Amino acid sequence: MPTSVPRGAPLLLPPLLMLSVVLAVPLDRAAPHQEDSQATESPDTGLYYHRYLQEVINVLETDGHFREKLQAANAEDIKVRQTWARGGCAQRSFSATAGKMRQNIDSGKLSRELDFVSHHVRTKLDELKRQEVSRLRMLLKAKMDAKQEPNLQVDHLNLLKQFEHLDPQNQHTFEARDLEMLIQTATRDLAQYDAAHHQEFKRYEMLKEHERRRYLESLGEEQRKEAERKLQEQQRRHREHPKVNVPGSQAQLKEVWEELDGLDPNRFNPKTFFILHDINSDGVLDEQELEALFTKELEKVYDPKNEEDDMREMEEERLRMREHVMKNVDTNQDRLVTLEEFLASTQRKEFGDTGEGWKTVEMYPAYTEEELRRFEEELAAREAELNAKAQRLSQETEALGRSQDRLEAQKRELQQAVLQMEQRKQQQQEQNVPPSKPEGKLQFRADTGDAPVPAPAGDQKDVAPEKKAAEQPPELPQLDPQPL
């Protein structure tokens, strides 16, 4: 185990610290050395390998030497938030580190940094990788079973190549290549979060409009007019809100300075403002720290207690505000705002000239009528497909019911046949066994045939010869009273 770090090692640490802080506990600026006594549950990134990513980070952080180097890393090089702003999200926090991650990974020096971790940590990382490979194999098998191909020979090695967050060639040990692939894949996937969020919101709005129109079509004339009147009233109340300042403008920042920070608006200082809202004091404002500045503006428009205010629209509004600031302030497009970029933005003309204010999301339709038409066609096709499946299932259910009825009928016939056989068997046994008198003596019926009735073994000496017995009428023998 090396006891010293090669020159330049601190510059190799940012990728891992960027990963580790995704799952970090919020810091208290008033007490930076006190650990939070309550564990914070890590937000789910939405990745199918989220648990694997989280466990790898947690294991790496248990190594004392590795953790010491992470803490000693230069804050300006790291450029990553270590705490959650209000309403923060792990996906965007992770994607904000994409540039620095790739820069350090492409250097090829990460493997030497991984060699510094202890043997126990490397063993745990190996175990985590084997568990992940096993989980992926189970997923592949379940997929094959769902396709009803149980006897298909599965080439696990080739199939595992579709998963890009680990090295499929080595399925037993965790190496530097695995860490590089994990960071690169997570960075790429999470960088697409904003686009996916916008698309999801568009579908949400189209579905909401589709359901509204179908509901109105189901009503009578008077009921439809009343429902439309109520909707228009809700929209009117929603639009009646104070002016929303343009995000990142002087008016918006001064409002935060005065109402949230409690400072004199006439003594607004951009540099002081930046330092105050750099929550983790890392020298940059990341996306979550920026979004925290928009809370006051969003509260002007959206209230969870009002039925006319849609909280899904509020989150879309927050994303639009953040994208607006990043577009105008983040000049190098690294998804982080440095002090220099922030101060430069305050010198532009747009900083003080906000015009009529910010136009909220309802002023910009999320979809066109053509997009809504295609969406409704897609819904209709899916509904028809589901109805066809439901009809097939109903027919299969009926067929199973008829088969069950036939099986029940056959079962009853078999039971009746068995019962009849038992009854015949009992009757035959009753015919072959002579009945008994109440005193316990056997009662023999007269034999009308030609064969004589044999006498008991003890009285055979008193029996006449066979020829003589045939000439005389047979007499019933006297039997000793023996119970059967």
Side-chain angles (χ1 to χ4, degrees), residues 75-327:
E76 182 63 23
D77 291 334
I78 295 171
K79 291 186 177 182
V80 64
R81 70 180 269 113
Q82 297 175 347
T83 184
W84 302 107
R86 285 170 288 180
C89 180
Q91 291 95 325
R92 297 192 292 274
S93 177
F94 195 101
S95 61
T97 66
K100 279 294 175 181
M101 286 182 180
R102 295 191 185 98
Q103 181 180 0
N104 287 276
I105 292 171
D106 293 341
S107 66
K109 301 176 181 178
L110 190 59
S111 58
R112 293 201 300 269
E113 193 64 35
L114 188 62
D115 290 339
F116 287 127
V117 302
S118 65
H119 175 73
H120 171 73
V121 172
R122 290 299 294 267
T123 302
K124 184 62 177 176
L125 291 174
D126 294 344
E127 181 183 353
L128 289 177
K129 182 176 181 180
R130 288 192 292 268
Q131 291 176 354
E132 180 68 2
V133 171
S134 177
R135 184 183 71 90
L136 296 177
R137 285 174 174 171
M138 291 179 63
L139 291 176
L140 292 172
K141 184 178 184 303
K143 185 177 180 179
M144 295 300 176
D145 292 344
K147 293 182 178 180
Q148 297 182 351
E149 300 177 3
N151 298 324
L152 181 67
Q153 295 295 327
V154 179
D155 187 350
H156 286 283
L157 179 58
N158 287 328
L159 290 175
L160 284 172
K161 290 180 180 179
Q162 64 183 297
F163 302 109
E164 301 178 353
H165 64 287
L166 50 74
D167 183 9
Q169 300 295 335
N170 177 12
Q171 302 180 17
H172 303 287
T173 59
F174 187 94
E175 305 296 339
R177 176 61 178 164
D178 294 292
L179 186 57
E180 294 174 7
M181 295 182 68
L182 179 61
I183 297 174
Q184 289 174 338
T185 304
T187 302
R188 181 200 63 203
D189 293 344
L190 294 174
Q192 302 173 359
Y193 171 81
D194 290 347
H197 186 280
H198 288 310
Q199 188 64 26
E200 181 183 353
F201 177 74
K202 177 187 287 188
R203 293 182 65 86
Y204 167 76
E205 288 290 298
M206 289 190 293
L207 180 60
K208 188 168 65 173
E209 176 64 16
H210 171 72
E211 292 178 347
R212 185 189 70 84
R213 293 184 181 184
R214 290 187 62 177
Y215 171 71
L216 292 177
E217 292 174 356
S218 66
L219 301 177
E221 184 68 21
E222 295 298 327
Q223 292 177 325
R224 182 165 58 252
K225 290 182 178 180
E226 178 62 21
E228 291 176 346
R229 184 196 64 78
K230 183 178 179 181
L231 177 62
Q232 293 175 358
E233 178 63 19
Q234 290 179 350
Q235 294 175 346
R236 183 190 64 79
R237 291 198 304 267
H238 178 69
R239 290 192 296 266
E240 291 180 351
H241 55 72
K243 177 184 175 180
V244 180
N245 295 311
V246 175
S249 65
Q250 184 180 37
Q252 190 259 322
L253 299 182
K254 275 190 173 182
E255 191 172 46
V256 175
W257 175 276
E258 178 182 7
E259 299 191 17
L260 296 183
D261 300 333
L263 300 176
D264 185 357
N266 297 323
R267 303 183 63 181
F268 175 76
N269 184 286
K271 184 175 181 179
T272 304
F273 182 92
F274 183 94
I275 295 173
L276 283 174
H277 294 277
D278 179 13
I279 306 299
N280 58 345
S281 302
D282 61 356
V284 295
L285 296 180
D286 61 28
E287 296 173 342
Q288 286 68 51
E289 288 167 332
L290 286 175
E291 290 184 359
L293 302 178
F294 311 144
T295 302
K296 184 64 180 178
E297 302 302 322
L298 294 171
E299 289 176 349
K300 297 177 181 179
V301 185
Y302 301 96
D303 186 350
K305 299 179 182 179
N306 297 336
E307 63 176 346
E308 62 268 14
D309 296 338
D310 191 334
M311 295 299 103
R312 288 285 297 271
E313 290 184 1
M314 184 186 73
E315 291 305 315
E316 176 70 8
E317 196 74 74
R318 190 192 304 274
L319 178 57
R320 290 180 63 244
M321 289 181 172
R322 191 253 296 164
E323 288 178 332
H324 173 80
V325 173
M326 283 296 187
K327 180 180 178 180

Side-chain angles (χ1 to χ4, degrees), residues 455-465:
D459 298 336
Q460 288 182 0
K461 61 184 179 178
D462 299 331
V463 178

